[in-house]
């Protein structure tokens, strides 16, 4: 009597000539399609979660280690024979040709410089595209922002087609609004041909220092759980505020999903190994709000910082029960101290449903 061939993953019974062995597990064709991928180099079937990829090339770990490198600038996987080296770091030919000292590698992380006198600091990552990965442009923008202090630096980003990422050192909200000359930087970027909102590639990410939430991990996680709870509870309004479409939200800043308590959402977040989520908790010193589509419109830029500040304030000063009882309209009711935020909320019809004319996003 023939021994039954059973898929070790789903339990399906297969014919004698069916099934694929993956890491000593016998899988049916459906499970192979759902959970596996083929190495582009050796042709071996491997678990998708074990695949080394740049979304164009799919490799097993052994083939990547033995025959490939990852471009330090754009993240693209490149064969050893096509790798260009600079300061002992691998680059694809395109990034090597475009290499400019004014544009740092994606992995560049200087020691942070804190600006402003407060306890809550915001570090901005603003992606811009369509204007070129141009060292002269990067130098011009840095000169405008850094004429008194080193406020920003500029990095490569493999998710962009023809641009770069403008990164600020951590600053208080007041410093971002009144000391850092974002108006000139954003205006000049537009004049150079860069776009942020008017792309399918750009986001506006905001980092907040973890130590503001408590003196130890337990205290910090208590506040962070309330941030996650607030966002999930008000997801429809946050989604409209973000200006992202559903596809890009799911790809770059997916939600964790609503649960009855912030702790349950936090537990899901801890189990997530992906940084492409609404609030990324994988950084040691910060949490990262990744929800927002990029913008070069000053009012929208400042309104986004102000919203993040208000979400943090609510999580720091209110209990989860109070947050649960608070409607969106109550949350935004007393925002008059932030005219930029009120303007933007009206533009997105998130403020007492008042519709007004709005300037085009860029």
């Amino acid at each position: 009597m023939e021994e039954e061939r059973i898929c070790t993953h789903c339990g399906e019974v297969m014919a004698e000539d069916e099934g694929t062995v993956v890491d000593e597990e016998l899988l049916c064709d459906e499970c192979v399609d759902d959970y596996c991928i083929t190495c582009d180099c050796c042709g071996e079937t491997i678990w998708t979660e074990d695949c080394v990829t740049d979304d164009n090339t799919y490799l097993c770990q052994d083939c990547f280690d033995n025959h490939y490198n990852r471009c330090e600038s754009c993240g693209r996987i490149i064969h050893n024979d096509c790798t260009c080296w600079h300061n002992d770091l691998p680059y694809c030919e395109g990034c090597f040709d475009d290499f400019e000292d004014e544009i740092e590698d994606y992995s560049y992380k200087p020691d942070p410089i804190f600006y402003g006198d407060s306890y809550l600091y915001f570090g901005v990552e603003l992606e811009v595209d369509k204007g070129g990965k141009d060292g002269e442009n990067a130098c011009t923008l840095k000169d405008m922002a850094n004429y008194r202090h080193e406020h920003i630096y500029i990095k490569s980003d493999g998710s962009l087609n023809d641009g770069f990422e403008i990164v600020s050192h951590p600053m208080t909200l007041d410093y971002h609004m009144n000391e850092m000359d974002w108006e000139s930087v954003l205006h000049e970027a537009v004049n150079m041909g860069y776009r942020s909102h008017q792309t399918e590639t750009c986001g506006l990410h905001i980092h907040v220092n973890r130590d503001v939430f408590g003196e130890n991990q337990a205290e910090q996680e208590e506040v962070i759980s309330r941030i996650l709870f607030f966002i999930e509870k008000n997801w429809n309004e946050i989604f409209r505020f973000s200006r992202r479409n559903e596809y890009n939200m799911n790809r770059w800043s997916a939600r964790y999903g609503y649960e009855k308590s912030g702790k349950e959402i936090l537990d899901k977040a801890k189990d997530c190994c992906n940084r492409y989520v609404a609030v990324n908790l994988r950084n040691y010193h910060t949490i990262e709000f990744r929800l927002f589509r990029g913008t070069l419109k000053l009012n929208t830029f400042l309104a986004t910082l102000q919203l993040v500040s208000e979400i943090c304030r609510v999580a720091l000063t209110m209990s989860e029960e109070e947050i649960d009882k608070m409607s969106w309209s109550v949350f935004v009711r007393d925002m008059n101290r932030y005219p930029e935020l009120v303007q933007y909320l009206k533009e997105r019809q998130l403020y007492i449903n008042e519709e007004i004319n709005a300037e085009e996003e860029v």
Side-chain angles (χ1 to χ4, degrees):
M1 183 175 179
E2 291 184 0
E3 183 178 349
E4 285 189 331
R5 293 172 63 83
I6 300 174
C7 176
T8 57
H9 199 79
C10 71
E12 179 182 341
V13 178
M14 297 174 285
E16 182 179 2
D17 60 345
E18 293 182 332
T20 302
V21 176
V22 181
D23 282 350
E24 300 182 351
E25 291 190 41
L26 180 63
L27 303 183
C28 66
D29 292 344
E30 185 174 347
C31 285
V32 169
D33 289 342
D34 288 344
Y35 303 109
C36 299
I37 201 163
T38 301
C39 174
D40 289 335
C41 183
C42 69
E44 181 183 359
T45 301
I46 57 175
W47 297 106
T48 301
E49 64 184 14
D50 294 334
C51 174
V52 182
T53 182
D54 58 3
D55 292 334
N56 292 306
T57 304
Y58 302 88
L59 300 170
C60 67
Q61 190 67 54
D62 285 344
C63 286
F64 176 79
D65 290 343
N66 292 326
H67 305 294
Y68 292 82
N69 293 288
R70 191 180 290 276
C71 176
E72 184 71 17
S73 181
C74 70
R76 177 180 156 203
I77 291 175
I78 40 177
H79 194 274
N80 287 347
D81 294 341
C82 300
T83 300
C84 303
W85 294 89
H86 179 84
N87 291 337
D88 295 327
L89 295 174
Y91 290 86
C92 69
E93 186 175 355
C95 289
F96 184 81
D97 290 342
D98 291 338
F99 188 82
E100 293 281 355
D101 289 339
E102 297 295 341
I103 303 176
E104 307 290 349
D105 301 327
Y106 179 73
S107 60
Y108 177 72
K109 289 186 178 180
D111 291 335
I113 305 170
F114 290 83
Y115 293 100
D117 184 15
S118 185
Y119 57 94
L120 184 60
Y121 291 87
F122 305 95
V124 168
E125 296 173 351
L126 173 60
E127 296 167 344
V128 298
D129 213 340
K130 296 187 176 182
K133 187 183 173 185
D134 188 290
E136 290 187 13
N137 288 347
C139 182
T140 298
L141 294 177
K142 288 197 296 184
D143 285 346
M144 296 181 74
N146 298 343
Y147 67 96
R148 288 188 301 161
H149 305 286
E150 184 187 335
H151 288 139
I152 68 168
Y153 50 97
I154 291 178
K155 300 180 6 176
S156 296
D157 191 316
S159 69
L160 304 176
N161 296 323
D162 199 21
F164 43 65
E165 184 176 62
I166 302 170
V167 186
S168 82
H169 284 279
M171 306 173 187
T172 64
L173 179 60
D174 180 73
Y175 199 96
H176 275 292
M177 293 171 58
N178 299 308
E179 300 295 332
M180 168 60 196
D181 191 6
W182 282 114
E183 182 173 11
S184 296
V185 171
L186 301 186
H187 181 74
E188 184 62 25
V190 173
N191 288 342
M192 290 173 171
Y194 292 101
R195 296 295 181 265
S196 194
H197 174 89
Q198 295 175 7
T199 72
E200 291 297 319
T201 55
C202 294
L204 169 59
H205 306 155
I206 300 174
H207 288 259
V208 179
N209 52 309
R210 277 179 178 264
D211 58 11
V212 72
F213 302 132
E215 295 182 356
N216 54 57
Q217 183 176 348
E219 290 180 359
Q220 293 171 12
E221 289 186 350
E222 185 71 26
V223 179
I224 292 169
S225 73
R226 294 197 288 271
I227 290 174
L228 300 180
F229 184 78
F230 176 91
I231 289 174
E232 292 295 342
K233 175 181 179 293
N234 296 284
W235 183 260
N236 290 336
E237 291 82 3
I238 296 290
F239 178 73
R240 186 185 297 180
F241 189 103
S242 76
R243 290 167 291 109
R244 287 192 185 274
N245 59 42
E246 188 170 354
Y247 171 80
N248 281 337
M249 184 67 91
N250 290 334
R251 181 179 182 185
W252 301 113
S253 48
R255 66 185 298 185
Y256 292 115
Y258 181 76
E259 300 291 346
K260 293 181 180 179
S261 72
K263 183 181 183 305
E264 292 176 276
I265 303 172
L266 180 62
D267 288 341
K268 292 170 69 173
K270 287 181 177 180
D271 290 336
C272 178
C273 60
N274 181 8
R275 68 187 179 92
Y276 300 112
V277 287
V279 182
N280 172 27
L281 305 182
R282 294 181 65 190
N283 300 303
Y284 183 77
H285 294 293
T286 68
I287 66 170
E288 179 190 17
F289 290 77
R290 295 181 53 89
L291 294 146
F292 311 107
R293 190 168 180 167
T295 185
L296 290 171
K297 182 178 172 182
L298 179 64
N299 192 88
T300 301
F301 178 87
L302 295 177
T304 304
L305 283 167
Q306 291 161 359
L307 178 75
V308 172
S309 178
E310 283 301 297
I311 292 173
C312 292
R313 181 190 64 79
V314 164
L316 281 162
T317 60
M318 298 177 67
S319 68
E320 187 172 295
E321 292 73 19
E322 290 172 322
I323 293 173
D324 194 26
K325 292 177 181 178
M326 180 177 60
S327 67
W328 177 265
S329 60
V330 170
F331 169 67
V332 301
R333 182 176 57 195
D334 299 320
M335 297 293 179
N336 291 333
R337 62 189 177 282
Y338 297 135
E340 296 87 1
L341 180 55
V342 171
Q343 169 75 15
Y344 183 76
L345 290 169
K346 290 179 179 180
E347 291 175 1
R348 304 300 296 171
Q349 297 185 42
L350 289 167
Y351 189 82
I352 322 176
N353 296 323
E354 183 177 352
E355 185 175 0
I356 63 172
N357 294 325
E359 295 180 5
E360 183 181 22
E361 291 284 350
V362 285

